[in-house]
Amino acid sequence: MNMDIKASKGRIIEAVNACDNPYLLLQMEKLLKREGMLGPIGEMVAEFPVLLEEEPPRDKIIQTHLSAPDQNKLSRYDSIATPIFFFLGLIMLMLAAAILNAISQADVNLNVAIFQGTVVRMYLFGWLVYVGDFIVLLVLARQTHRKLATGEFIFRVAALLFPPMRMASRHIQQVELIWIPLYGWSLSNEGLLKLIKRKFSIPMIVIALLIIPVLLIEWQFYDQVSAYLNTDLTFLLDLVQAFIWMAFASEFILMISISNEKVEYAQKNWIDIAIILLPFISFVRTIRIFKIARLTQLARGYKLRGLLMKARQGFVFASFFYRILTIKPDFQINRLRKQLVKNQKEREMIEEDLIELYKALKMENKI
């Protein structure tokens, strides 16, 4: 052990002498200043060598256009079906956007009612296709005596509740693989996540920008624009908002499917979640409205739906400005620096917890 420490010191000293990176030298200096406080952790490693185990390196290598898994009938079926269901998922997402926006309207005329009915029937037909796909998977798994990946199986069950989720599902047996247009079967890792995020960045800014003319027309210039175009703008504005919602939903579904840290990704992108979920809240409220008899409660229901629509527009507006800011170098540097400081504080707090645990164990004579 002493030889290992001596050799490690020698390597570090050589590296420090050869290092001209001021940032790296500053980090080492800060860490060495805490050497006295971290002494108990140095004692802990004798009893708990797990503290010295190195973490596996981050997987940032982008691997795309990989061979489709075809080890058995189940694997081959999913390799063929997944690309098909990606595009079918986009269609289902379009239908969901149309349904949610149509139901969010306060005034429902005959044409809107007919449109709603047609879209709902199309959505239900698509849902039956997903049910059939799920049944085929179960049958093939039984025939081939193959086990379905638990996490992906749960994801497929969830996709029965909201079929567009299937568009970004991973392979049912090789869950490290995901199919993406233009890239084919790809390794789902940090490198792929960054690549797709970079590809989405500019298009999503442009799409979020569409909310500005929508807000201006709805709040200030509706009558003027409607008179100039000689048409009712309600359908057009709803169409634009449905497109915005679909874009945010498709990006989020794809990105969270690629991410291996789904909870962390969801926490960082809570604005996108709010944009996606608010129409569903309005939808649930609408169902409840149908059961309300008194007109005053009905009016409150419509008022709440209006507030939810405005809230969604506000979140899209906020998302637009945030995405704009994230491409500015100064903003990015300040944001990432704050994140570094936060992470360092969290690390120090964890180390302090380790020290407290070690002291408690010593008091109880357990080590």
Side-chain angles (χ1 to χ4, degrees):
M1 183 70 176
N2 290 333
M3 290 296 294
D4 291 341
I5 293 176
K6 187 174 181 180
S8 180
K9 282 183 177 180
R11 290 193 298 270
I12 292 173
I13 291 172
E14 288 181 7
V16 170
N17 289 333
C19 180
D20 293 321
N21 186 329
Y23 177 80
L24 187 57
L25 292 172
L26 177 63
Q27 300 308 311
M28 287 189 286
E29 185 178 359
K30 287 181 179 179
L31 186 60
L32 289 172
K33 286 181 179 179
R34 302 180 63 238
E35 193 274 337
M37 192 272 286
L38 296 176
I41 296 182
E43 299 175 15
M44 286 184 70
V45 298
E47 296 292 333
F48 302 99
V50 67
L51 293 173
L52 293 181
E53 290 183 4
E54 293 186 19
E55 291 294 321
R58 293 161 58 196
D59 189 2
K60 298 189 291 183
I61 300 175
I62 299 173
Q63 299 184 46
T64 59
H65 304 290
L66 301 176
S67 300
D70 62 349
Q71 298 90 334
N72 50 69
K73 288 171 63 176
L74 173 62
S75 186
R76 285 193 294 273
Y77 169 78
D78 204 51
S79 296
I80 296 172
T82 297
I84 296 173
F85 276 92
F86 182 94
F87 295 105
L88 182 58
L90 283 177
I91 296 173
M92 294 293 283
L93 199 59
M94 291 172 60
L95 295 175
I99 292 171
L100 291 171
N101 272 275
I103 288 180
S104 296
Q105 293 182 12
D107 300 320
V108 179
N109 55 39
L110 180 60
N111 291 332
V112 172
I114 294 174
F115 174 75
Q116 288 179 3
T118 302
V119 172
V120 168
R121 284 192 293 272
M122 293 173 64
Y123 190 88
L124 290 176
F125 177 78
W127 179 77
L128 291 176
V129 175
Y130 281 80
V131 173
D133 168 66
F134 188 76
I135 293 173
V136 170
L137 283 177
L138 295 179
V139 171
L140 289 177
R142 185 171 182 178
Q143 288 180 352
T144 57
H145 304 287
R146 301 289 178 173
K147 184 178 180 181
L148 303 177
T150 303
E152 185 58 26
F153 177 76
I154 295 173
F155 187 86
R156 299 292 177 92
V157 173
L160 293 178
L161 301 176
F162 187 60
M165 291 175 60
R166 175 75 163 88
M167 63 180 284
S169 58
R170 299 191 183 191
H171 195 274
I172 196 65
Q173 288 190 291
Q174 293 182 236
V175 293
E176 70 278 7
L177 297 181
I178 186 170
W179 190 89
I180 302 174
L182 303 180
Y183 298 101
W185 287 104
S186 305
L187 183 64
S188 185
N189 60 8
E190 186 178 344
L192 182 65
L193 183 67
K194 288 187 175 182
L195 172 66
I196 302 302
K197 183 178 180 180
R198 189 166 61 249
K199 297 294 183 182
F200 264 106
S201 59
I202 300 301
M204 288 304 299
I205 289 175
V206 175
I207 291 171
L209 182 63
L210 294 175
I211 198 64
I212 295 178
V214 170
L215 294 177
L216 289 174
I217 292 173
E218 278 195 349
W219 294 356
Q220 190 68 32
F221 303 107
Y222 186 91
D223 293 335
Q224 295 91 319
V225 176
S226 182
Y228 178 78
L229 297 177
N230 194 27
T231 185
D232 185 5
L233 296 175
T234 302
F235 178 76
L236 179 60
L237 294 176
D238 286 342
L239 187 65
V240 174
Q241 293 192 75
F243 174 72
I244 294 172
W245 180 86
M246 188 187 76
F248 274 90
S250 59
E251 181 203 31
F252 183 81
I253 291 172
L254 181 58
M255 297 296 285
I256 201 168
S257 297
I258 296 174
S259 175
N260 293 320
E261 303 292 339
K262 301 186 187 306
V263 174
E264 181 181 346
Y265 181 84
Q267 290 174 342
K268 288 182 178 179
N269 296 273
W270 64 270
I271 291 181
D272 292 349
I273 296 176
I275 293 170
I276 296 167
L277 292 184
L278 279 174
F280 287 97
I281 298 174
S282 179
F283 172 73
V284 172
R285 181 68 184 183
T286 301
I287 295 175
R288 185 182 172 191
I289 286 171
F290 289 138
K291 300 178 181 179
I292 295 176
R294 289 180 295 178
L295 292 178
T296 54
Q297 290 178 315
L298 184 64
R300 291 194 201 106
Y302 284 130
K303 183 178 180 181
L304 177 59
R305 284 192 301 173
L307 290 173
L308 290 171
M309 288 292 291
K310 299 304 180 189
R312 184 179 64 169
Q313 292 171 345
F315 279 122
V316 174
F317 200 58
S319 177
F320 162 70
F321 278 105
Y322 179 76
R323 290 170 186 266
I324 284 290
L325 288 173
T326 55
I327 63 176
K328 295 182 64 177
D330 291 344
F331 177 84
Q332 280 280 57
I333 291 172
N334 288 329
R335 182 180 67 85
L336 294 175
R337 181 184 175 279
K338 289 179 181 178
Q339 187 66 42
L340 281 174
V341 172
K342 180 182 177 182
N343 290 347
Q344 180 60 34
K345 288 181 179 179
E346 290 177 352
R347 180 186 180 89
E348 292 177 4
M349 291 173 65
I350 293 172
E351 289 170 344
E352 290 167 3
D353 289 342
L354 277 172
I355 292 171
E356 291 298 322
L357 174 62
Y358 178 68
K359 291 179 179 178
L361 291 174
K362 285 186 68 175
M363 291 291 293
E364 296 176 9
N365 295 319
K366 290 188 176 181
I367 61 173

